[in-house]
Amino acid sequence: MRSAAYTTSDATTRNYRKRLPLQSSLENSRNIIFILNGRAKTTFRISLNTKLEEWWLNAAYLELRYPSQLNVNFGGPAPYLEHCWPPTEGVQLQRTSISMWHTLQYWDLLRTERLDPHKAGNVVLDMDQFRMLFCTCKVPGVTKDTIINYFKTESEGPCPSHVVVMCKGRFFSFDAVCDGHILTPPELLRQLTHVKQCCEEEPAGDGVAALTSEERTRWAKAREYLIGIDPANKTILETIQSSLFVISLDDAKPYATAENYTPVTREALTGDPTIRWGDKSYNSISFADGTFGSNCDHAPYDAMVLVTHCYYVDQQLKATDGKWKGSETVRPMPLPEELVFTVDDRVRSDVAHAKQQYFETTQDLQVVCYAFTSFGKAAIKQRKLHPDTFIQLALQLAYYRQHGRLGSCYETAMTRRFYHGRTETMRPCTLETKNWCHTMLLPAASAEAKRKALLLAFNKHNKLMAEAQNGKGFDRHLLGLYLIAKKEGLPVPDLFTDPLYSKSGGGGNFTLSTSLVGYTTVLGAVAPMVHHGYGFFYRIGDDRIVASCTTWKSSPETDAETLFQNLVTSLHEMLHLATTAQL
C-alpha cells in the first residue's frame, strides 16, 4: 500500500520541537480528542473502527481527483518467463487459456472458502481483502469514487462468473462456467480465438476504456453522459464492473528476460489504455510474445492479494510445465458476446482527450526493473540480518550517495493482524540511518565505526517496523485527529500545516515510495508519489533481488537507472561490511 497521508519522521519531529511553541497545537489536539471521547460514549462507540476505516479509504483513494490508472494503480510482470513460458510468438491465446484456468481455480478456492488463512508466525491474519480480487470495480464520482464488490461465497449466494475480454478497443464477455463447471483451457481457447478473429478481421473499437485513465471528475461526468445517451451503455458498464476480471489481449511484444523485466513492467504500467479498464480490481494482460502482466486498482486491496494469487498460478504452471494435461473436449456453449457502447461525437472527443493526456503522462514515466543476482535472502540471513531491512538501508544509502541527503521514505507495514487491517506507515528515514549513511561516505571512517552505525540503523528500523505492524504506529491516529478536526470545524493542529511536515512525507509527499512485495517470484511497480520522487518495489529471493524503480523524466533531480546502480553498489558494500565482522 503506497498511500501514506499524515506522517512525520524523527528528524522532522526534533526540528519541529525546536522551532514552534506547541501549546496551541496541543490544545487543539486535546479538543479533538475530547470530541472523539464524547462521541465514543454515545453513537460513536460502535462505529469508531469502521469510521476510521472509511475515512482512510476516502482520503487515501476515493477522494483523489487526479487520474488513478497511472498514479494510483499498481502493475507488474508475471514471472512465468523464468521457467516454462519464455517469450514466444504464436502462443498468446493458448497460454492465456491455461493461465485463465488456473486463475479461475483460485477464484473457486475463494468462493468455496477453501483458501487457507494466512499467518504471521502463529497469528492468523485478516483475509477480508481477498474478497476484492474478483468481481470488483471502482466507479467514478464527481467528488468521490465508490467501490462496488459483487463477489459472494457459495454460502452467501450467487456470484457473477463471467469474464470480459478486451482487444483492439473492443469488449467481449462470456461465462467462465458451463453447467456448473469451470471452462477447461481448450474451451477457453475457443472463446479467446473467436474474440481474436473478430478483432483481426474487423475495425478497431471506439476505445471507451481509455476514459478510465482520465482525471476522476472528468471521467465521472463522461460516464454520466455515456449512460444518458443510451440506457444499454449502463448495462455494459455493469457487465464490466461485475465481471470476475478483465483479460487484455495486447499486441505489444515486450521480450523481457529474467534479468531485465523492464520492457514488460513498463508495458504493464503504461500500455494501451483502450484495452485496460483502469478501475477494475484485476486486469490480466496477455502480450503477443507469450508473456504476461497485470494492472490493478489499488483502492480495493493491497498488492499482497494479487501477489498471493499470481504466486499460486506460477507454482501451478511450474508443476505442470505450463501445459494442459486434461480433456481436449469442447462442450457446446454460446460464443462470446460483444459489448458495443453507443457513442457520439462528444464521447469520441472525450476518448481522444483521455488518450492524449494518458500518453503525455506515460511518456514522462521512466521505468526500470532489473534483477540483482550476486546474492539474495540466503546470504543476508547468514549474516543474521533481516533481508527487508537490508534492502531498505541499501536504498537509503543509494539515495544519499546520489542526492547528498536522505529522502523521506514510506515503507508498507502490514497490519492484517487486526480486523480489516491493511497497512500502516513505516518511516525508514531515521536519525540512525542518516548517521550511518554519513559515516559510510566518510573517507576517514573505520570499518568498525561503519559497522556500529549500521547496527544502530538496523535495530531502529526493525523496532519501528514491529511497532507499526502491531498497531503502535501513528499514521492512522494522526489521520483520525486531522479528519475529526475538519469535520467538527475545529482548528487543525499546526503540525499539519508546517512545511517540515510535508517535507517529511506527511500528506502523501514521500520522496521514496517503497514496498517489499514479498519473498516469492512475483513483483510489481508503482509511479512515484511526488514529481521529484521514486517508486520502488522489490522482491527478495534466495539468490536474487528483483527491483522496479520509477521516476518522472521531467524532474531534473531524479534518474531511476542511476539509483538502481547506486543500489547495487550499496548492496555489495553492506554485505562486505557484514561479512568482515559479526554484527
Side-chain angles (χ1 to χ4, degrees):
M1 214 299 292
R2 57 188 295 257
S3 180
Y6 316 111
T7 63
T8 187
S9 68
D10 289 353
T12 301
T13 302
R14 188 166 298 182
N15 287 336
Y16 189 80
R17 287 171 178 163
K18 291 178 180 178
R19 289 180 55 208
L20 291 174
L22 292 183
Q23 189 60 42
S24 61
S25 189
L26 180 61
E27 188 61 33
N28 289 342
S29 296
R30 285 172 175 163
N31 289 338
I32 295 169
I33 294 171
F34 177 78
I35 290 287
L36 183 61
N37 286 338
R39 292 288 179 85
K41 292 176 182 176
T42 55
T43 59
F44 223 53
R45 181 187 303 275
I46 296 175
S47 61
L48 182 57
N49 286 338
T50 54
K51 279 291 184 183
L52 184 54
E53 180 181 346
E54 176 187 336
W55 292 345
W56 172 81
L57 186 62
N58 290 340
Y61 293 112
L62 302 183
E63 292 173 352
L64 301 178
R65 296 294 86 195
Y66 50 70
S68 62
Q69 184 164 330
L70 186 61
N71 294 287
V72 175
N73 287 22
F74 57 84
Y80 322 140
L81 61 83
E82 293 191 14
H83 45 87
C84 60
W85 285 355
T88 307
E89 294 188 36
V91 296
Q92 179 185 27
L93 300 186
Q94 179 189 28
R95 288 181 178 181
T96 303
S97 68
I98 295 173
S99 69
M100 277 186 71
W101 186 80
H102 287 297
T103 293
L104 291 167
Q105 299 304 309
Y106 193 80
W107 164 68
D108 191 57
L109 288 176
L110 290 171
R111 180 146 163 72
T112 55
E113 301 177 73
R114 291 180 292 123
L115 185 68
D116 291 335
H118 294 178
K119 291 185 177 182
N122 295 321
V123 179
V124 177
L125 302 179
D126 185 274
M127 298 290 286
D128 183 67
Q129 291 181 58
F130 283 79
R131 299 182 63 91
M132 298 292 185
L133 177 59
F134 299 108
C135 308
T136 302
C137 196
K138 186 168 64 185
V139 176
V142 174
T143 59
K144 188 183 79 169
D145 299 342
T146 55
I147 296 174
I148 301 181
N149 175 245
Y150 304 82
F151 174 82
K152 289 184 179 180
T153 64
E154 279 190 346
S155 63
E156 293 169 337
C159 174
S161 57
H162 65 281
V163 296
V164 167
V165 182
M166 299 172 63
C167 180
K168 295 186 183 296
R170 297 166 67 177
F171 302 82
F172 297 81
S173 179
F174 64 87
D175 203 316
V177 174
C178 179
D179 296 331
H181 297 283
I182 291 172
L183 270 58
T184 64
E187 293 169 337
L188 293 167
L189 178 60
R190 173 192 184 248
Q191 305 294 66
L192 294 171
T193 300
H194 174 78
V195 170
K196 192 71 171 176
Q197 287 175 345
C198 289
C199 293
E200 295 290 350
E201 297 169 359
E202 301 166 9
D206 293 301
V208 173
L211 294 174
T212 64
S213 69
E214 260 288 11
E215 187 270 342
R216 301 307 296 173
T217 297
R218 188 180 179 96
W219 163 216
K221 292 178 179 178
R223 184 178 182 276
E224 289 176 355
Y225 180 80
L226 194 63
I227 293 172
I229 61 176
D230 189 344
N233 287 343
K234 183 177 182 181
T235 301
I236 294 173
L237 288 168
E238 289 176 345
T239 299
I240 297 169
Q241 290 164 191
S242 61
S243 64
L244 286 169
F245 53 95
V246 167
I247 291 288
S248 302
L249 296 179
D250 200 316
D251 291 334
K253 301 174 184 178
Y255 278 97
T257 67
E259 287 68 43
N260 184 1
Y261 271 102
T262 298
V264 68
T265 306
R266 184 189 301 115
E267 285 294 333
L269 271 184
T270 67
D272 186 353
T274 69
I275 55 170
R276 291 146 172 74
W277 198 260
D279 292 339
K280 194 65 181 160
S281 59
Y282 182 29
N283 292 270
S284 177
I285 307 169
S286 169
F287 295 108
D289 65 352
T291 59
F292 293 82
S294 60
N295 189 287
C296 308
D297 177 32
H298 207 330
Y301 61 79
D302 298 317
M304 59 82 199
V305 173
L306 189 73
V307 168
T308 304
H309 156 251
C310 289
Y311 185 61
Y312 166 87
V313 174
D314 184 52
Q315 295 306 294
Q316 296 299 314
L317 290 173
K318 190 176 293 186
T320 58
D321 198 29
K323 298 175 182 177
W324 169 247
K325 300 177 181 179
S327 171
E328 296 294 329
T329 302
V330 176
R331 293 169 289 173
M333 65 188 68
L335 289 171
E337 174 190 4
E338 184 166 11
L339 310 174
V340 182
F341 284 98
T342 300
V343 300
D344 60 13
D345 287 344
R346 174 177 165 178
V347 175
R348 294 187 188 95
S349 176
D350 286 341
V351 170
H353 182 276
K355 290 166 68 174
Q356 179 182 358
Q357 68 83 22
Y358 175 80
F359 287 126
E360 287 177 356
T361 307
T362 55
Q363 287 169 10
D364 189 38
L365 187 68
Q366 180 188 20
V367 181
V368 301
C369 187
Y370 299 129
F372 171 84
T373 57
S374 296
F375 60 86
K377 178 179 67 175
I380 298 171
K381 294 189 74 172
Q382 189 178 10
R383 274 76 178 176
K384 297 182 173 57
L385 298 172
H386 194 293
D388 176 55
T389 309
F390 194 96
I391 306 304
Q392 282 289 331
L393 293 181
L395 177 62
Q396 286 290 327
L397 181 57
Y399 185 91
Y400 192 90
R401 176 177 277 115
Q402 185 168 333
H403 295 277
R405 63 184 186 278
L406 287 187
S408 61
C409 184
Y410 163 86
E411 182 186 3
T412 303
M414 180 271 293
T415 57
R416 290 171 59 210
R417 290 174 172 84
F418 304 96
Y419 178 73
H420 284 191
R422 287 192 57 168
T423 63
E424 175 59 279
T425 299
M426 190 275 150
R427 294 156 300 281
C429 183
T430 64
L431 288 173
E432 289 80 2
T433 299
K434 177 182 180 298
N435 292 336
W436 170 66
C437 289
H438 177 71
T439 304
M440 286 294 290
L441 298 186
L442 280 179
S446 66
E448 182 61 23
K450 293 177 181 179
R451 284 192 291 269
K452 286 183 178 180
L454 177 61
L455 180 59
L456 291 174
F458 256 92
N459 290 342
K460 183 59 176 287
H461 188 105
N462 294 341
K463 177 177 180 291
L464 290 177
M465 178 59 80
E467 289 175 351
Q469 290 177 338
N470 285 283
K472 297 179 180 179
F474 59 81
D475 173 43
R476 304 300 177 256
H477 173 73
L478 285 179
L479 174 64
L481 290 179
Y482 177 83
L483 293 178
I484 291 171
K486 299 278 284 189
K487 180 180 176 64
E488 298 296 328
L490 296 171
V492 174
D494 295 338
L495 169 68
F496 297 103
T497 57
D498 188 84
L500 279 176
Y501 176 69
S502 177
K503 187 176 181 180
S504 76
N509 289 292
F510 287 95
T511 304
L512 292 163
S513 173
T514 77
S515 187
L516 167 65
V517 180
Y519 299 93
T520 71
T521 57
V522 182
L523 183 62
V526 294
M529 275 191 189
V530 293
H531 186 248
H532 61 280
Y534 295 87
F536 186 84
F537 273 26
Y538 54 100
R539 63 175 171 92
I540 306 174
D542 285 340
D543 58 357
R544 61 170 44 204
I545 298 158
V546 186
S548 65
C549 186
T550 60
T551 57
W552 298 111
K553 297 176 186 176
S554 54
S555 170
E557 301 178 42
T558 56
D559 184 80
E561 289 275 1
T562 304
L563 187 70
F564 186 85
Q565 295 308 317
N566 281 324
L567 176 73
V568 170
T569 300
S570 298
L571 290 170
H572 282 298
E573 289 180 350
M574 290 175 63
L575 191 72
H576 176 73
L577 196 62
T579 301
T580 55
Q582 189 70 33
L583 289 176

